[in-house]
Amino acid sequence: MSRIVVALGGNALGNNAKEQLLTVKKTAKRLVDLVAMGNEIIISHGNGPQVGMIYKAMSNTSNPEDAFPFAECGAMSQGYIGYHLQQAMQAEFEKRRMKKKVVTIVSQVEVNKNDAAFQNPTKPIGTFYTKKEAIALARAGAGTYKEDAGRGYRRVVPSPKPIKICELSTVNQLVEDKIVVITCGGGGIPVVKSKDGYKGVDAVIDKDRTSALLARELNADILLILTTVEKASINYNKPNEVKLGNISIEEAKQYIENKEFAEGSMLPKIEACLYFVENSKGKKAIITSLAKAKFAIEGKTGTAIEGGK
């Protein structure tokens, strides 16, 4: 039996509420397969489309004072994604007559208020605007706006590094009690310390970074990052593309130095894997697709990086 932190990509959730209800049924089957193998699993997930929809629905950005706080949008996305996953997984457990319970923890993740990311917002969220609209919103104090791939201008927020999972002890207790936990959705609700306790900030934490931190803190055996591809590649989308199987820490670092992995796509996943396995003995990080999750755990596929012996 292994303790596995499973980081779900957005493709495992769907792009809207109706689609998500259908998609998570398939996702639940793959996740329950891992439990049926005898593993403990802790689930994290992305929230890109979901938090964007919530932010758009809840905010009237024509008046900055009426804009709904982005941290609260993140909390809402954790709740509704967790609700759908819980429902689908519990139904699958009952279908297989497995006496397991699953619960969602709305989780805060502390970031450093002096993180350099706060000086350079890069993560696009919400609605597209014209250049004229974006300039007007920025002048009105409604955030920072940048052009996004020729599609218009969007608000951008910082993406600071996670330093502490605030509800970790609760998550750990539930895991010890053999309950499947869904936590750190969307990378967690970003918070900073203040004199009155934690305070939410407008930011997006990379969910793979947070998942790697969660895996370390829970002393997991495996970090399983699920995405759209079965294996990571070098020379991606070129005639000499090579799909990667088992690679060493040193090889992964060399590929990063050679800029083999796209920023905002495979690069943060490889970096999260390295964060988890470095300075560990026998820990393993795997990148693969949801459909191949079970086979990757069995060592039959996926890109795997293993810690030192």
Side-chain angles (χ1 to χ4, degrees):
M1 182 182 74
S2 296
R3 177 174 290 185
I4 307 171
V5 168
V6 183
L8 290 174
N11 62 304
L13 299 172
N15 293 307
N16 55 58
K18 184 178 180 180
E19 183 180 315
Q20 183 170 289
L21 271 172
L22 298 173
T23 305
V24 294
K25 291 180 181 179
K26 298 176 183 177
T27 300
K29 291 179 181 179
R30 305 293 187 185
L31 295 172
V32 173
D33 283 344
L34 299 179
V35 179
M37 293 167 68
N39 300 301
E40 291 179 348
I41 68 169
I42 304 94
I43 303 161
S44 64
H45 59 79
N47 71 344
Q50 296 84 359
V51 77
M53 287 186 293
I54 293 168
Y55 180 71
K56 180 179 179 180
M58 297 295 291
S59 298
N60 175 13
T61 53
S62 63
N63 181 353
E65 294 182 359
D66 292 338
F68 201 75
F70 193 67
E72 277 75 357
C73 294
M76 289 181 180
S77 74
Q78 284 190 4
Y80 115 71
I81 293 170
Y83 153 61
H84 282 176
L85 274 173
Q86 278 180 210
Q87 194 177 67
M89 289 190 71
Q90 201 65 63
E92 188 66 22
F93 283 137
E94 290 171 8
K95 182 179 177 181
R96 301 192 196 192
R97 297 179 181 174
M98 296 171 65
K99 294 183 178 180
K100 294 290 291 185
K101 295 295 181 183
V102 55
V103 67
T104 299
I105 299 295
V106 175
S107 42
Q108 305 168 91
V109 174
E110 183 183 344
V111 299
N112 187 336
K113 65 182 178 182
N114 296 316
D115 191 305
F118 285 106
Q119 305 306 315
N120 182 33
T122 58
K123 191 73 173 178
I125 61 170
T127 305
F128 286 93
Y129 296 96
T130 65
K131 184 175 182 179
K132 183 177 180 181
E133 289 171 332
I135 291 172
L137 287 166
R139 286 176 176 169
T144 302
Y145 295 79
K146 291 184 180 179
E147 195 271 336
D148 185 0
R151 297 175 295 176
Y153 284 73
R154 297 172 76 190
R155 186 182 175 193
V156 289
V157 296
S159 186
K161 293 180 180 178
I163 58 176
K164 178 184 176 183
I165 297 165
C166 300
E167 288 74 25
L168 182 68
S169 61
T170 302
V171 172
N172 188 61
Q173 183 61 60
L174 290 165
V175 172
E176 291 294 330
D177 289 341
K178 309 302 180 186
I179 296 171
V180 176
V181 181
I182 301 164
T183 189
C184 295
I189 304 161
V191 295
V192 296
K193 279 186 176 179
S194 72
K195 63 180 181 179
D196 299 317
Y198 284 116
K199 177 183 177 182
V201 292
D202 285 356
V204 174
I205 307 171
D206 182 84
K207 61 95 176 167
D208 294 315
R209 284 184 180 273
T210 302
S211 300
L213 176 61
L214 179 66
R216 268 199 174 187
E217 294 294 334
L218 292 178
N219 195 29
D221 302 296
I222 299 171
L223 170 64
L224 179 62
I225 297 179
L226 300 179
T227 184
T228 55
V229 295
E230 185 174 342
K231 295 181 179 181
S233 299
I234 56 173
N235 304 315
Y236 181 67
N237 257 352
K238 297 177 181 177
N240 59 339
E241 178 178 349
V242 177
K243 296 185 185 300
L244 302 173
N246 294 340
I247 60 174
S248 67
I249 291 172
E250 292 72 24
E251 286 173 321
K253 288 182 176 179
Q254 187 61 56
Y255 293 143
I256 290 174
E257 189 175 328
N258 295 345
K259 300 188 183 303
E260 290 285 359
F261 306 120
E263 292 185 21
S265 179
M266 189 56 70
L267 178 60
K269 292 173 174 52
I270 296 290
E271 289 177 334
C273 289
L274 287 174
Y275 174 83
F276 175 62
V277 301
E278 280 194 294
N279 305 313
S280 71
K281 292 185 179 181
K283 306 291 187 181
K284 183 184 287 188
I286 305 170
I287 298 171
T288 194
S289 64
L290 176 66
K292 299 294 184 179
K294 177 182 176 181
F295 303 106
I297 294 299
E298 294 173 335
K300 297 176 180 177
T301 191
T303 298
I305 308 173
E306 196 163 345
K309 302 296 183 183

